[in-house]
Amino acid sequence: MTQKLTFFIADGFQALDLFGPLDAFMETNTLVQNAYQTQLLSLHPGLIATAYGQQVHAEAGLNDNVRCDTLILCGGVGMRTLKLTVQQATQLRAIADNASRVISICTGSFLLPQIYPEKSLTITTHWRHCQQLAEQFPQCHVKLDPLFINDGMVWSSAGVLSGVDLALALIGEDFGKAMAAKVAKELVVYLQRSGQQTQYSDLLAIQTGESQRLSTLIEWLPSQLHHTTTVAQMAEKACLSERQLTRLFKSHLGSSPSQYVRKLRLERARDLLSQSQASLTNVATKVGFNNYDSFRRAFSQYFGISPSVFVQHQGREEHA
């Protein structure tokens, strides 16, 4: 059955918040005939300007009879500062109430509390605007870290490209994880990131002063998780002594080099287990553990749940 998607935009919307998820959904149509049908909605039909002045045509306005399966609220400075009138909020709420999902991309989340003033939503947005969102709408629970989160029928995502991550998650919900993986491959997305991944990455965290000496190493390590990487090898890659390397890691990333690599292995394992049908033993091998028992203990200690129970939980979510 075709899923009808309606993207809500207004003057000053972020182009990538629209076209990133839109491209992911439309790519699905090349693999599943008529998987998604899309429509652009604004306050009034007509030309709508992006944050940088380019224009797109919204074929529908709030006065039109709009019905959809998924309502997607795009972000951007214009969306973050948009104050809906009582009538506009009521009209948009009516569309939302007839949909099975309501989604915000980036600062489109600032519209959610205007649509649902009576709800204490758990939502996220771009890390730069989380504090403003929390202060402006104190009834909401604003989470800084996740790339995207789900609160009932309401989904919200962080900045710009995380909208693609969320779109892939929704494609997986609609047509299965294998289909989402195919779309990700067509989009040349290296890895579908799970919603639990932090939007404030390690590379962003070390973009100041002395800590930049770690950037080459941080970019390199994810490609080395399938085999043993010693502290000496890491120090050589970073052109540092082992002592300097350990000091920089503890100062800027809050862990030793070995602890950091272990974290990377376990988080990669979590993503592989949530996105594929690979066996637990194969996943353990792919992320550099010598045997399943050591992987199981490490995974359980880090995430508070065993790998097998985690996979069972993922299966229940997919078929819920």
Side-chain angles (χ1 to χ4, degrees):
M1 179 182 293
T2 300
Q3 293 283 317
K4 296 181 180 179
L5 311 176
T6 294
F7 290 83
F8 180 72
I9 57 176
D11 283 335
F13 77 95
Q14 182 78 30
L16 193 53
D17 289 354
L18 167 62
F19 291 110
L22 176 64
D23 202 39
F25 289 120
M26 291 296 94
E27 191 65 45
T28 311
N29 285 358
T30 67
L31 302 168
V32 179
Q33 188 174 11
N34 299 320
Y36 294 103
Q37 181 183 91
T38 64
Q39 180 182 44
L40 298 188
L41 168 71
S42 191
L43 299 176
H44 308 282
L47 292 176
I48 308 298
T50 73
Y52 305 111
Q54 300 87 1
Q55 293 182 321
V56 298
H57 184 267
E59 56 260 50
L62 292 180
N63 288 328
D64 296 319
N65 182 25
V66 174
R67 300 184 74 87
C68 60
D69 298 302
T70 302
L71 174 63
I72 303 171
L73 309 171
C74 297
V77 62
M79 309 299 288
R80 176 167 54 88
T81 57
L82 179 62
K83 301 294 187 262
L84 297 172
T85 66
V86 173
Q87 180 181 2
Q88 290 167 345
T90 300
Q91 290 171 315
L92 202 53
R93 174 64 178 265
I95 297 171
D97 285 345
N98 283 314
S100 57
R101 294 183 301 220
V102 177
I103 295 157
S104 67
I105 308 297
C106 195
T107 51
S109 56
F110 279 75
L111 296 179
L112 289 171
Q114 298 185 60
I115 299 173
Y116 300 107
E118 81 286 4
K119 292 188 178 183
S120 298
L121 296 171
T122 299
I123 54 179
T124 191
T125 190
H126 189 288
W127 61 267
R128 189 185 300 279
H129 301 293
C130 280
Q131 183 175 349
Q132 180 190 351
L133 181 62
E135 291 174 352
Q136 192 168 327
F137 302 104
Q139 75 272 25
C140 293
H141 305 287
V142 179
K143 301 225 175 208
L144 173 63
D145 286 334
L147 286 177
F148 59 86
I149 55 177
N150 173 218
D151 183 5
M153 67 175 287
V154 176
W155 297 69
S156 56
S157 66
V160 288
L161 284 175
S162 64
V164 175
D165 296 301
L166 177 50
L168 290 169
L170 297 175
I171 292 166
E173 185 176 85
D174 294 338
F175 297 100
K177 292 177 181 177
M179 179 59 62
K182 289 179 182 178
V183 173
K185 185 176 181 179
E186 290 298 321
L187 295 175
V188 199
V189 176
Y190 172 64
L191 178 70
Q192 287 175 252
R193 301 181 294 176
S194 67
Q196 293 81 14
Q197 282 190 242
T198 178
Q199 57 175 288
Y200 198 65
S201 70
D202 295 324
L203 281 171
L204 289 176
I206 61 169
Q207 290 304 304
T208 56
E210 182 186 35
S211 62
Q212 290 192 24
R213 300 174 72 182
L214 294 175
S215 59
T216 299
L217 177 63
I218 297 301
E219 290 177 331
W220 176 72
L221 281 173
S223 67
Q224 306 301 308
L225 300 183
H226 58 290
H227 57 70
T228 301
T229 303
T230 67
V231 175
Q233 290 171 321
M234 294 166 65
E236 182 179 2
K237 182 69 177 179
C239 299
L240 297 166
S241 69
E242 292 183 36
R243 183 175 179 180
Q244 287 176 309
L245 182 73
T246 299
R247 179 179 63 79
L248 286 174
F249 262 83
K250 289 185 175 180
S251 175
H252 298 287
L253 293 170
S255 69
S256 70
S258 296
Q259 289 170 334
Y260 180 79
V261 171
R262 191 178 187 82
K263 181 193 82 163
L264 289 183
R265 294 188 197 283
L266 293 170
E267 291 181 350
R268 173 68 63 81
R270 174 199 60 197
D271 291 333
L272 289 173
L273 290 174
S274 67
Q275 296 162 17
S276 72
Q277 302 299 317
S279 72
L280 299 177
T281 301
N282 285 342
V283 168
T285 301
K286 284 182 179 180
V287 297
F289 283 85
N290 293 326
N291 59 74
Y292 176 72
D293 284 340
S294 62
F295 167 66
R296 177 182 55 78
R297 288 193 297 271
F299 192 97
S300 299
Q301 183 179 24
Y302 190 77
F303 293 111
I305 186 173
S306 71
S308 58
V309 173
F310 176 82
V311 169
Q312 291 170 9
H313 179 70
Q314 292 293 306
R316 286 196 299 272
E317 286 185 345
E318 186 172 4
H319 294 96

